[in-house]
Amino acid sequence: MSARTNLRVLWAAAALAAVPAAARGSEADAFENKIEPISGQLYGKARRFEIEPLLALSLDDAFYVKYFGGVRLGYHLSDSWSVAVTGQAGASQANSSTTLCTPSQGCTNASAQQLWEVPGNLKWIGGVEVLFSPVYGKVNVLGSSVLHLDFSIIAGVDWIESQAVLTPNQAAADYSSGGGPGNTGAPGVHLGLGTHVFFASFAAAALELKDYVYFADVNTGSATQASKLQNQIFLELGISFFLGGAGR
Amino acid sequence: MQPALRSITWWLLALPLAVHAQEMPGLDLSAPPKGKPNAAAPDASKKAGAEPGTPLEKAVGVPGEADAALEDRVKAVQRKGFIKQGRLQLEAFVAPGVNDAFYEKLGVGGMVGYNLRDNLALALRGTYYYPVTTQYVRQGEIAFQSQLLSSELYGTAMLDGIWSPVYGKFAWLGRSIVHFDAYLLAGGGVAWSATSEAPRNEGPHVAADLGAGIRFYPNSFLCLDLGAVATFYADQASTVAPSSIQRVVSVTLGLSFFLPTGFEYYYP
C-alpha cells in the first residue's frame, strides 16, 4: 500500500471517528433554542378548597394580650386569587403594662374594676376576606433542601366583638353591685400579609400577620366617651388542607 | 500498511466505541432492594421516548431525542441570580416600632455594608427614632390613676454581622422571576435615650441587636430589604425605678444600592 493510500485510510478513519460526535452535536442543536426553561408552580391552588385550623396571638397590645383559635374556609378562584370566611375566638389576659407600682406598696396587678375602663378585651372576630397571591417562590435552604411557598396580600371586612369599655363611674357602680361590663360589637376591616409553605399538594403551613382596625368607645377624661380608632395586630399560624382540583 | 499506521487506524476506529461505552451507565453490582418489583424500568423507558409523538418529541421535532433529556443522570445546578461578594452596600430604611403600644417609634436610618462573602457581610447601621405618643397613654392614666414610665429612645449606632444562608427565587404572577435571599443579623453598639442627655447625662448605653429579613433583587445593583430588628439596651427610665433591659422591635423597610453596579458570576 502506498503512502498516499495510507493517508486516505487515515482520513477515512478520522472521518468515521468523527461521525458519533457529529451526531451528538446535532442532538445538542436539536434542543438548543427550542425548549425554554420553565419554572413551574409545583403546587397549584386553582379551583381548590382550603380548610385551615389556626391559632392566633395578638401583638403590640396596650392592655390585653389575646390567645385565639379559629378556622378559615377558603376557595381559590385561581392560583392568584381566593376568597375565605374566617372565625376565631379565645381568651384575653391583662398584660404587664397593667402592673401598677408605688414606692411604698411595691407592684400589684390592676383591679378588675380598673381593667373594665380600658379597651382591647376582644371576644371573637368573624369576617370574610380576599387574598391576592402574586408571588410563588422556591427557597434553597443551606444548599440542601428546596421549599415551595407563596405570599399573599389579604384584605377583609369583619365583625369584632369585645368587652365594652366602662366609664370610671359605671365601673365603680358595676363593681359594687357585683355586675360587670357586657360585650359590644363593631364592624371593622383588616389588612395583612400571608404565606404558605407547602409540604405536599394537599397541605401547607400558613403564617399570616393581620392588622384589624375598628372603632371603640373609650374614656377621654370627661363624663362621656368618644369613639376612637383601634388597631389590633394578630399573628396567625395554621395548617392548610387543600381539597379538590388537580393540585398542580 | 505499516504496522504502526495500522494500529493507529484501528485505534481511531475503536475510539467512538470507547466513548459510547463511557456514556453508558456502568453495571450496578449492588443487590436490588428487597421487595421492590423491577417492573418500573420498561414503563420508564416507554415513557421516556419510545412512544412516538410525546410532547417532548413534538417540541424537539426529532424522534427519540427525549431519551437524551430524560435519561440525564446529572441534575442541573442553577446559578445564583445575584452575587454580593466583594461589593459595597448602601441602604436607606424606615423602621416603625411594633412592640410599644404607648410610645410608638418611627425610625429612619442608613446602613453601609461590605459583603466579605456572598453569604456574609459586615454593616454599620445608624437609626434615629421619632417618638409618637398614642391614645393608650391617656386611657391608662385615666383607668389606673398612674404615670407610665418608659425609656425614650433617640437613636442607635450598631456594627452588625449579616449572614444569609437562604436564597431562592419568586415567580411574579407566574411570569417574571425575582431573586431573593433571607438573612439573620446580629451585632452590638450604642443607644442614646433621654437619660443620655441633661439632666442625667449618662451618655450612650451599650446596646445589642438581633434581626432577620428578606431581600429582593430586581436587577444587578438594587435590592428591597424587608426585615425585623430587635434592639436591646439597659436604661433606667426613672431614678425611683430599677434599671431594666429595654427592648425595641422594629420592622425595617429599606432600599439598597450595590457598588460596583455589576457583577461577574464565579464558579466555586
Side-chain angles (χ1 to χ4, degrees):
Chain A
M1 193 180 286
S2 66
R4 190 182 183 90
T5 307
N6 286 341
L7 199 58
R8 283 178 180 168
V9 171
L10 266 178
W11 276 114
L16 280 172
V19 166
R24 284 194 301 277
S26 70
E27 281 179 15
D29 291 340
F31 282 101
E32 198 171 67
N33 298 325
K34 289 192 175 179
I35 302 177
E36 295 293 330
I38 298 170
S39 293
Q41 182 164 335
L42 186 59
Y43 300 113
K45 297 172 293 183
R47 295 176 297 283
R48 305 188 78 189
F49 289 95
E50 180 180 354
I51 300 174
E52 180 196 345
L54 60 90
L55 296 173
L57 173 69
S58 62
L59 302 176
D60 199 19
D61 296 298
F63 306 109
Y64 293 96
V65 61
K66 274 73 74 177
Y67 305 94
F68 277 15
V71 67
R72 188 176 64 174
L73 305 173
Y75 180 72
H76 292 268
L77 305 168
S78 67
D79 278 327
S80 300
W81 289 94
S82 66
V83 292
V85 294
T86 65
Q88 53 184 302
S92 297
Q93 182 181 1
N95 66 14
S96 60
S97 68
T98 62
T99 302
L100 309 177
C101 299
T102 60
S104 58
Q105 299 175 348
C107 295
T108 58
N109 293 328
S111 68
Q113 178 186 339
Q114 290 172 313
L115 289 172
W116 294 343
E117 300 174 29
V118 293
N121 188 349
L122 301 189
K123 300 300 181 182
W124 58 266
I125 301 172
V128 296
E129 61 189 18
V130 177
L131 293 89
F132 176 49
S133 309
V135 172
Y136 181 88
K138 299 175 184 177
V139 180
N140 185 310
V141 181
L142 290 172
S144 57
S145 59
V146 177
L147 297 178
H148 289 250
L149 45 83
D150 66 12
F151 284 93
S152 303
I153 300 168
I154 306 165
V157 294
D158 309 277
W159 185 262
I160 298 173
E161 193 81 1
S162 62
Q163 177 181 280
V165 177
L166 302 182
T167 64
N169 290 338
Q170 287 173 330
D174 283 3
Y175 191 75
S176 60
S177 66
N183 291 341
T184 182
V189 298
H190 69 262
L191 290 173
L193 297 172
T195 182
H196 285 109
V197 180
F198 291 91
F199 305 137
S201 61
F202 63 89
L207 182 67
E208 290 164 3
L209 187 69
K210 294 179 185 174
D211 185 10
Y212 291 84
V213 180
Y214 64 102
F215 280 93
D217 291 336
V218 298
N219 296 319
T220 58
S222 61
T224 58
Q225 293 182 320
S227 185
K228 294 245 180 181
L229 196 67
Q230 308 291 311
N231 282 81
Q232 181 62 68
I233 301 174
F234 272 99
L235 183 67
E236 300 176 0
L237 178 64
I239 302 291
S240 285
F241 297 97
F242 295 91
L243 305 173
R248 59 182 61 191
Chain B
M1 187 184 291
Q2 295 174 1
L5 197 57
R6 195 182 304 139
S7 299
I8 292 173
T9 303
W10 282 114
W11 274 111
L12 284 171
L13 288 171
L15 192 58
L17 298 175
V19 170
H20 183 68
Q22 285 181 353
E23 287 181 346
M24 295 293 288
L27 290 175
D28 186 0
L29 299 179
S30 61
K34 290 180 179 177
K36 196 172 182 179
N38 198 19
D43 293 338
S45 64
K46 199 179 287 182
K47 289 176 183 174
E51 286 180 4
T54 61
L56 192 55
E57 281 185 6
K58 286 178 181 174
V60 175
V62 181
E65 291 292 356
D67 293 340
L70 298 181
E71 291 181 357
D72 184 9
R73 305 292 173 91
V74 181
K75 302 301 178 192
V77 177
Q78 293 185 328
R79 302 195 304 183
K80 280 187 173 182
F82 194 95
I83 299 297
K84 301 187 291 291
Q85 180 170 327
R87 302 176 75 186
L88 197 65
Q89 183 178 355
L90 306 175
E91 178 171 315
F93 59 83
V94 294
V98 293
N99 74 323
D100 189 343
F102 299 96
Y103 298 102
E104 290 183 346
K105 300 164 184 66
L106 176 60
V108 293
M111 183 190 83
V112 179
Y114 182 75
N115 291 278
L116 304 169
R117 300 184 60 180
D118 210 44
N119 60 358
L120 185 65
L122 276 179
L124 189 62
R125 294 162 48 91
T127 310
Y128 180 81
Y129 292 94
Y130 294 95
V132 179
T133 302
T134 70
Q135 58 174 310
Y136 300 119
V137 173
R138 178 67 180 141
Q139 291 166 25
E141 288 172 350
I142 295 169
F144 306 134
Q145 300 292 310
S146 62
Q147 185 181 5
L148 189 66
L149 298 178
S150 176
S151 171
E152 191 176 348
L153 180 63
Y154 290 164
T156 59
M158 314 294 287
L159 180 63
D160 293 322
I162 301 173
W163 179 49
S164 51
V166 176
Y167 73 91
K169 57 185 178 180
F170 285 137
W172 177 265
L173 287 172
R175 291 193 290 267
S176 56
I177 299 292
V178 177
H179 293 265
F180 75 94
D181 65 10
Y183 65 86
L184 298 172
L185 170 155
V190 292
W192 289 269
S193 71
T195 60
S196 303
E197 300 180 350
R200 290 172 60 177
N201 285 322
E202 294 178 358
H205 309 285
V206 175
D209 61 7
L210 189 64
I214 188 166
R215 294 178 291 201
F216 302 91
Y217 302 96
N219 60 32
S220 65
F221 62 91
L222 200 63
C223 123
L224 295 172
D225 185 353
L226 178 64
V229 177
T231 303
F232 306 89
Y233 64 100
D235 197 8
Q236 189 179 15
S238 168
T239 52
V240 298
S243 177
S244 61
I245 300 295
Q246 308 293 325
R247 185 182 71 244
V248 176
V249 180
S250 304
V251 172
T252 59
L253 179 63
L255 183 65
S256 279
F257 294 91
F258 282 81
L259 298 173
T261 54
F263 61 85
E264 288 188 10
Y265 192 85
Y266 68 90
Y267 291 89

